[in-house]
Amino acid sequence: RSVEELSIWEDARSMLRKARAEGVETAWDRLEQQTPHCTFCELGTTCRNCVMGPCRISPKATKSGKLQRGVCGADADVIVARNFGRFIAGGSAGHSDHGRDLIEVLEAIVEGETTDYAIRDEAKLRRIAAELGIDAAERPLMDVARDLVDECYSDFGSRRKSVGFLARAPEKRRALWEKLGMTPRGVDREIAEMMHRTHMGCDNDAPNTLIHAARCALADGWSGSMIGTELSDIIFGVPTPSMSTANLGILKKDTVNILVHGHNPVVSEMILAAAREPQLIAAAKAHGASGITVGGLCCTGNELLMRQGIPMAGNHLMTELAIVTGAVEAVVVDYQCIMPSLVQIAGCYHTRFITTAGKARFTGAIHFDIHPHNAMEEARKIVQMAVDAFAERDPKRVEIPVEPVRIMTGFSNEAILNALGGSLTPLLDAVKAGSIRGFVAIVGCNNPKIQQDSANVGLAKALIERDIMVLATGCVTTAAGKAGLLVPEAASMAGPGLKAVCTALGIPPVLHMGSCVDNSRIMHLCGLIANELGVDISDLPVGASSPEWYSEKAAAIGMYAVASGVYTHLGLPPNILGSQTVTDLALNGLEGLVGASFAVEPDPLKAADLLDARIRAKREALGL
Ligand code: BF8
Ligand code: SF4
């Protein structure tokens, strides 16, 4: 395929050409090698859960009468549901284990094991503690923090009837979850139970397995991820609106360029802090650089963008291409969504590929084992290593293809409320008046099966034109940013109602709300709006979409959104189409159970129609 077919962006296209010229293989090349994919796997009808197998169910099973069941007797419905259940459990585990890492940092602060991290927002800590039932008013900060640590750890265990932040959901919704057996009791519990249920000979009723998949995802959205978001705010600060820039143009020819990649701010915040230290800047200057640039990739980039305003180099499919510029001294990663290929690509240049988490090691990488007690010390060594690598940069191989685009970031719920003067009322008035017809969260990834960012951007543009405000997180952020949608001036691309509201408030029609764990901010906001209106989340004129998703985590997000009552569009289907029962449930049956379902539609304009129709129906039902 031509580079034009692979991505909508000039920076990506230029780097794809350079990669081809320099013999560097990318995800797109490997996708071609992997195509066609195994049909059984695409349909979700392969099972490797025991060694009587592996087994596969033929899509033509009913006609031939053969290969209808695995050796144990499991049929397509059971196998698809089990696979999908484990898929959701994988995603929930990723977000939630990230959340747990923040509890560990807060614990290290409380126990005095680190001075590298601190409680940066005492007021938020006390507010969250009080929300979780801790006496937070007049006790010493560290006592409150210690109780908060215990409270959060307890959410991961088995001794609760429901997780702590669930109280943020409307009462109606909680009653529904209770009735359906979907109330998440503990993060690790639901994930472990999913592994148990999907062992050979356990849960052999597809709908029952899917109900638990929803419970597992709800544990992620309303606990694991939510803890991740709230504790990150407490430790690193609540995001407030600020300006930054995005695309590969943020890399500078004359600076030491360090890219942080992965998800958890715990490491990237330290790298940024070290890179701002005078002695390391002086070291960079001694090497002939004018300074140090720290740029973001993927979600840890989003975390630093939201709180520190660092520039974004790119999203998922830009991670390989960023190195191809030849201008990156170091890529520093923690975990999740980091292509193993980065080790090889870094090896083609002077780029140091540096891992920092014991649970995410890459053969061939340089490893620094970062913990709360040694984080700053190790971060300084990493930045020094990047500075030293600058001497090895080959200027003849450097190509920085574009100029950066301005973006606005930092829309935490606190910031949104602040912009509205402390109450949701003005926003809801705009919704009631129809100037804002509704909200759609566009979240998730890139997938080389789809022209990069064509659907992410196409959908966002189509929705704002229809006066539907867009909330962006994860890898959609950089997509929206590069398209010029994350600046107040983008109001000119919105419909008349949304344009007027954005112009009055000085905000963009697409609001950046953070990383993928920060989708919990959006769930929280849905809860706040529903409670304010005295309705359930499923009654709201809202929707969600992941047009270019690829990961288990994105599936978990989609699942908790639907289970929370949010109609959710996916640009491509999960591997479930081999089961009619599971597919029907996902696309239709869930509507009757939880008041929302999935919709699959590759065309972003048709997807906009679907979301628009949904919002129209919900507005009508509310009498708007
Ligand atoms: O958690 S959007 S490609 S980076 S999975 Fe990954 Fe998808 Fe990007 Fe963040 Ni989210
Ligand atoms: Fe085959 Fe059943 Fe074993 Fe799966 S659990 S591999 S379907 S025998």
Side-chain angles (χ1 to χ4, degrees):
R1 292 186 288 170
S2 73
V3 297
E4 286 75 16
E5 288 171 79
L6 305 186
S7 171
I8 65 168
W9 305 119
E10 192 41 48
D11 59 353
R13 291 171 177 179
S14 305
M15 288 308 102
L16 277 161
R17 283 186 208 105
K18 185 168 188 278
R20 285 178 179 181
E22 295 181 351
V24 175
E25 188 184 74
T26 65
W28 287 278
D29 300 316
R30 292 185 299 271
L31 173 64
E32 210 168 300
Q33 295 157 21
Q34 287 288 345
T35 309
H37 296 279
C38 165
T39 311
F40 294 107
C41 290
E42 273 184 331
L43 294 170
T45 51
T46 41
C47 182
R48 289 175 295 118
N49 289 11
C50 87
V51 294
M52 292 193 286
C55 301
R56 67 212 187 280
I57 306 295
S58 165
K60 298 176 197 124
T62 36
K63 278 183 202 149
S64 69
K66 284 187 190 154
L67 294 181
Q68 283 187 35
R69 291 180 183 271
V71 177
C72 67
D75 62 10
D77 292 343
V78 166
I79 290 176
V80 167
R82 284 198 304 216
N83 289 340
F84 189 59
R86 286 194 172 194
F87 197 75
I88 297 285
S92 304
H95 289 140
S96 301
D97 202 41
H98 163 163
R100 185 196 340 256
D101 284 340
L102 284 143
I103 313 178
E104 286 186 357
V105 172
L106 185 58
E107 185 179 34
I109 297 170
V110 170
E111 300 307 332
E113 288 160 13
T114 179
T115 48
D116 295 346
Y117 302 94
I119 294 167
R120 224 174 273 177
D121 194 326
E122 178 177 339
K124 177 148 188 176
L125 184 139
R126 289 186 187 274
R127 196 169 72 241
I128 295 292
E131 192 185 337
L132 294 175
I134 297 163
D135 173 11
E138 303 204 338
R139 298 162 63 214
L141 180 65
M142 286 304 163
D143 290 355
V144 179
R146 186 171 289 114
D147 287 353
L148 180 60
V149 165
D150 283 346
E151 195 59 32
C152 291
Y153 273 138
S154 297
D155 252 17
F156 281 73
S158 304
R159 304 190 70 173
R160 299 210 146 150
K161 292 206 164 58
S162 86
V163 294
F165 285 121
L166 219 61
R168 291 177 168 184
E171 213 177 308
K172 259 187 168 174
R173 182 66 21 191
R174 281 181 275 140
L176 181 66
W177 287 333
E178 201 52 38
K179 193 178 108 203
L180 294 170
M182 264 186 206
T183 305
R185 301 155 297 178
V187 175
D188 288 351
R189 176 173 189 169
E190 307 312 354
I191 294 165
E193 187 173 313
M194 181 53 86
M195 298 310 286
H196 176 192
R197 281 174 182 242
T198 50
H199 186 280
M200 145 55 189
C202 289
D203 204 1
N204 288 301
D205 178 57
N208 202 48
T209 307
L210 291 179
I211 297 264
H212 187 73
R215 171 151 63 175
C216 193
L218 286 169
D220 170 1
W222 292 89
S223 182
S225 283
M226 211 167 254
I227 286 173
T229 295
E230 300 297 35
L231 295 193
S232 294
D233 282 0
I234 287 168
I235 298 167
F236 301 112
V238 177
T240 52
S242 70
M243 296 303 296
S244 186
T245 50
N247 75 26
L248 288 184
I250 66 107
L251 297 168
K252 296 278 166 290
K253 273 204 171 119
D254 61 348
T255 63
V256 172
N257 293 316
I258 301 174
L259 294 179
V260 287
H261 180 14
H263 284 78
N264 203 318
V266 161
V267 169
S268 53
E269 281 272 355
M270 293 298 115
I271 300 293
L272 180 66
R276 285 175 174 173
E277 287 187 339
Q279 79 280 9
L280 284 162
I281 296 174
K285 288 185 173 160
H287 278 78
S290 70
I292 304 173
T293 298
V294 175
L297 290 169
C298 290
C299 280
T300 208
N302 276 307
E303 297 274 347
L304 290 195
L305 170 63
M306 283 284 278
R307 299 194 182 84
Q308 308 279 358
I310 68 155
M312 282 297 280
N315 52 4
H316 182 52
L317 279 175
M318 298 307 294
T319 59
E320 294 181 309
L321 301 181
I323 300 176
V324 176
T325 59
V328 177
E329 276 56 55
V331 178
V332 186
V333 308
D334 50 79
Y335 40 58
Q336 298 168 16
C337 300
I338 300 146
M339 292 197 222
S341 63
L342 296 189
V343 178
Q344 283 81 52
I345 299 187
C348 298
Y349 301 88
H350 70 298
T351 309
R352 308 296 194 261
F353 182 77
I354 298 166
T355 53
T356 60
K359 54 189 149 199
R361 304 246 348 215
F362 290 61
T363 305
I366 304 162
H367 186 70
F368 288 80
D369 220 38
I370 296 197
H371 299 280
H373 67 85
N374 70 356
M376 207 46 211
E377 194 187 323
E378 298 301 288
R380 286 189 191 108
K381 288 184 206 157
I382 290 172
V383 173
Q384 183 66 54
M385 183 173 270
V387 166
D388 293 338
F390 185 74
E392 289 172 36
R393 192 196 282 185
D394 178 356
K396 291 192 295 297
R397 290 187 72 197
V398 172
E399 183 186 335
I400 297 169
V402 287
E403 288 299 315
V405 176
R406 285 168 60 247
I407 59 175
M408 191 174 191
T409 176
F411 290 96
S412 56
N413 290 338
E414 288 89 338
I416 292 173
L417 275 167
N418 213 18
L420 294 168
S423 127
L424 285 172
T425 312
L427 189 70
L428 297 181
D429 285 347
V431 174
K432 286 176 190 160
S435 351
I436 298 178
R437 293 182 47 242
F439 303 89
V440 171
I442 311 185
V443 312
C445 325
N446 289 144
N447 185 323
K449 292 176 177 174
I450 298 168
Q451 185 191 34
Q452 190 208 7
D453 289 335
S454 60
N456 287 335
V457 171
L459 180 63
K461 284 187 174 169
L463 290 174
I464 63 169
E465 271 172 24
R466 302 169 191 216
D467 288 328
I468 295 167
M469 184 170 237
V470 170
L471 313 174
T473 60
C475 284
V476 175
T477 308
T478 315
K482 284 159 81 165
L485 296 171
L486 292 184
V487 283
E489 298 87 301
S492 66
M493 291 187 245
L498 181 59
K499 179 179 172 178
V501 174
C502 291
T503 310
L505 293 171
I507 57 170
V510 180
L511 298 183
H512 176 222
M513 295 193 70
S515 63
C516 284
V517 299
D518 289 339
N519 287 314
S520 67
R521 294 189 202 275
I522 300 177
M523 287 325 314
H524 186 197
L525 187 60
C526 285
L528 291 172
I529 295 176
N531 284 336
E532 180 93 6
L533 296 174
V535 298
D536 195 356
I537 294 173
S538 54
D539 299 321
L540 299 176
V542 301
S545 170
S546 198
E548 302 181 24
W549 75 284
Y550 91 90
S551 77
E552 291 173 327
K553 292 179 294 164
I557 293 165
M559 190 79 238
Y560 73 63
V562 168
S564 300
V566 180
Y567 175 77
T568 298
H569 158 255
L570 302 174
L572 67 177
N575 299 321
I576 61 169
L577 300 182
S579 162
Q580 200 61 46
T581 306
V582 173
T583 306
D584 279 350
L585 198 59
L587 299 180
N588 307 301
L590 280 171
E591 185 74 49
L593 288 174
V594 296
S597 60
F598 288 101
V600 176
E601 173 54 62
D603 180 339
L605 295 181
K606 288 187 188 151
D609 288 343
L610 292 172
L611 288 154
D612 190 345
R614 177 76 175 190
I615 283 171
R616 190 180 303 274
K618 291 296 167 187
R619 290 186 63 86
E620 271 169 23
L622 285 170
L624 299 175

